[in-house]
Every structure is written in C-alpha cells, then in structure tokens.
Amino acid sequence: MSQEIGVVGSPDFTTGFRLAGVRQFANVPEEEKPDRLDEAVTEMFEDDGIGIVVMHDDDLDHLSRTVRRDVETSVEPVLVTLGGDSGGGALREQIKRAIGIDLMDE
Amino acid sequence: MAKDVKPTRKNLMAIEDRIELSERGHDTLEKKRDGLIMEFMDILDQAQDVRDQMDDRYERAQRAINMARAMEGDVSVRGAAAALKEHPEITTQSKNIMGVVVPQIESSKVKKSLDERGYGVVGTSARIDEAAEAYEELLETIILAAEVETAMKKMLTEIETTKRRVNALEFTLLPQLYENQEYIEQKLEEQEREEIFRMKKIKAKKEEEESAARAEAEEEAEDEEAEEPVTADD
C-alpha cells in the first residue's frame, strides 16, 4: 500500500514541504500550539494513509505527556523531527534503557 | 518455593530436564541479545550519519525558502506551494534482521523536474525552484531517516524483551530450579540415610532375636541333657 508523508507545524514550517509536494499537512499557528497541536498530531497519527510524520523538534514541547509518548514510540506512522539540538530524546532514553549506556553521547 | 515440590525421584528428573532446557534457552537468548546489539550498533552509526545529513539539508532548505520569501514575497511562495500536482508517495516493504521485522521504505515522486511541479515556469522565479529542490532533497533524507529510526525503535524493543528474558532465566527461574533440585536431592539423601538406619536396626533386632532363640535352644538342649540321665537311672 502506498502512503504519504504528513507535516505538522506552523505555516512557515509546512510551506516548504508543500513546495516539495507534501499535501497532508496541518497548519497550527504558533499562538494556538498549546491548545490545538495535540489534536492535529493525533489526527495525523490516526490516518492510515500516512507513513511518516514530520515535525519540528521544538513543537514536541507543546504536546501533552501522553500524546508525546505515543508519537515518540510510534512505529507506524513513524515520527521524524527536524531542528532542535539532539534529535530523538525518547530514542536516546530507550537506548540507555535497552543497552545500558548512552550511545548517542557525542 | 522449594517447599512446594514433592521430594520424589520423578520430580527430580523433571527438574533436571527443565534446568537443561532453561540453560540451553538462556545461552541461545544471550547469543541473540549480543547479535541484536551488534546489528543495532551498525544501524546507530548509519542513523547518526543520516541525522547529520538531514540537519544540514534542513538548514539549507530553510535558507532557500527564506531567500525565496524575501525575494518573491510570502504570498507567491505559498501560491506556488498550493499549486503542486505531484505528491511524493512511499511504499513500505519489510526486511528481517534476526527475527525483527524492519521496514524498507521506497519512495516515488520525491524528486521532480521543473515541469512536473505544476506551479508553472513563467509566474515564478528560480528562488522558488531552488527552495522546492532543497525541500525535495530534505524529504529524501527524511524518508531514509524514517526507515533507519523505525528499525532502531523496533530493534531496541526486541533487545529490551530479550534482555528481560535472559535476566528472568538467569536470576529467577534457574536459581529457583537449582534450589528445588538441591532440596529434593537433600531430602532423598536423608530418606536413604533413614532407610539404611532402619535396615541396620531391623538387622540388629533380628540378630538379637536369633541369638536369643539360639541361646534358648541351647538352654533347652542342656536341660534335656541334664534331665535324660535321671530318667535313665529310674
């Protein structure tokens, strides 16, 4: 089954991806993020036609704890975050737990 | 608990079988865990390269779109973005790494030629083309990152499960089985000792009885011998 790529974020963030042809996007302006981001992200993750969800790393801070945990551990669709400092905070935690040492330590 | 098992030879044999099976399972799982960790290390290196590349491309794409916005205005950039006809698609196939099913994502229509984009050539400038191209390149890396990161997540889950199983065998099941085995062996030895002691007692008692019987018989014989001459004299 062919799937599409979805983008969630501020209009500035999504425009570039739309220029590359992404049509599954959710625009959430900066000031509405604390209220609307959870809903937009959940909706995106429930869509079976989407295989990859792209978000800005800083936007994860606006998500509620449960939604954040769900999206960070989700495999289908998988979340890819851009920007931010490290990339994959939850992944890093999981590595520490599974392997026993912090392998992402630079 | 050791007190729950009946100290019989049959149970001892069953426990010994279970110990053998658990030890074999423990060794196999340990090998699987080590193998998974080694595979994971390879993927981690790859993931870090992909992430570095993705960060670079994201920065470049952002610069390109900011330039396009500055030169053409936000409205025309958004207008061009809304006009796109071809949409990138991904298809997922799976690959098996040591029992872990990881995805292999193939993409189509990510990179597009100028006429495929659909926003027209006349109304837009090269800045927008550059931004679109930069974002197409970024998308390609994102798809690669998604593949690698999903593989990492799945392998980590598997490593955690395997580790938990190894630990459960090593620190819970096997010690309990050894304890049960020792308990039964001790009980059986004790029973054996009791049995030997009992046999010795019985033997001693029998010997005592026999010697008593013999003594009695001798006494009787002596009595008879002593009485006989008297009767003969009569």
Side-chain angles (χ1 to χ4, degrees), chain B residues 78-92:
Chain B
R78 279 176 199 228
L84 254 98
K85 287 202 183 75
E86 295 284 355
H87 306 285
E89 280 177 359
I90 49 170
T91 42
T92 317

Side-chain angles (χ1 to χ4, degrees), chain B residues 71-83:
Chain B
M71 306 290 271
E72 307 294 319
D74 201 29
V75 178
S76 55
V77 175
R78 279 176 199 228

Side-chain angles (χ1 to χ4, degrees), chain B residues 84-127:
Chain B
L84 254 98
K85 287 202 183 75
E86 295 284 355
H87 306 285
E89 280 177 359
I90 49 170
T91 42
T92 317
Q93 284 171 335
S94 50
K95 189 171 71 170
N96 197 326
I97 302 177
M98 297 193 75
V100 188
V101 182
V102 298
Q104 262 188 320
I105 305 176
E106 277 175 31
S107 57
S108 58
K109 296 184 217 158
V110 177
K111 276 259 183 190
K112 294 177 275 290
S113 63
L114 207 57
D115 53 331
E116 277 174 337
R117 290 199 184 120
Y119 51 66
V121 191
V122 185
T124 54
S125 77
R127 304 280 178 203

Side-chain angles (χ1 to χ4, degrees), chain B residues 55-86:
Chain B
D55 288 342
D56 287 347
R57 287 191 171 180
Y58 178 55
E59 232 171 81
R60 237 188 64 203
Q62 264 188 322
R63 256 204 314 272
I65 202 166
N66 286 342
M67 192 64 95
R69 272 204 190 103
M71 306 290 271
E72 307 294 319
D74 201 29
V75 178
S76 55
V77 175
R78 279 176 199 228
L84 254 98
K85 287 202 183 75
E86 295 284 355

Side-chain angles (χ1 to χ4, degrees), chain B residues 9-76:
Chain B
R9 210 158 281 280
K10 191 170 169 255
N11 273 350
L12 182 65
M13 276 158 72
I15 285 174
E16 278 169 354
D17 283 349
R18 279 189 72 190
I19 287 178
E20 201 191 318
L21 183 71
S22 305
E23 277 176 347
R24 223 168 41 218
H26 178 255
D27 288 349
T28 316
L29 282 172
E30 229 175 18
K31 277 182 199 150
K32 184 185 174 185
R33 182 196 63 191
D34 295 347
L36 276 171
I37 290 178
M38 271 157 75
E39 287 282 344
F40 178 78
M41 292 297 195
D42 288 346
I43 295 183
L44 186 73
D45 284 343
Q46 210 181 328
Q48 271 164 343
D49 291 345
V50 172
R51 195 148 264 287
D52 290 343
Q53 194 186 12
M54 193 165 75
D55 288 342
D56 287 347
R57 287 191 171 180
Y58 178 55
E59 232 171 81
R60 237 188 64 203
Q62 264 188 322
R63 256 204 314 272
I65 202 166
N66 286 342
M67 192 64 95
R69 272 204 190 103
M71 306 290 271
E72 307 294 319
D74 201 29
V75 178
S76 55

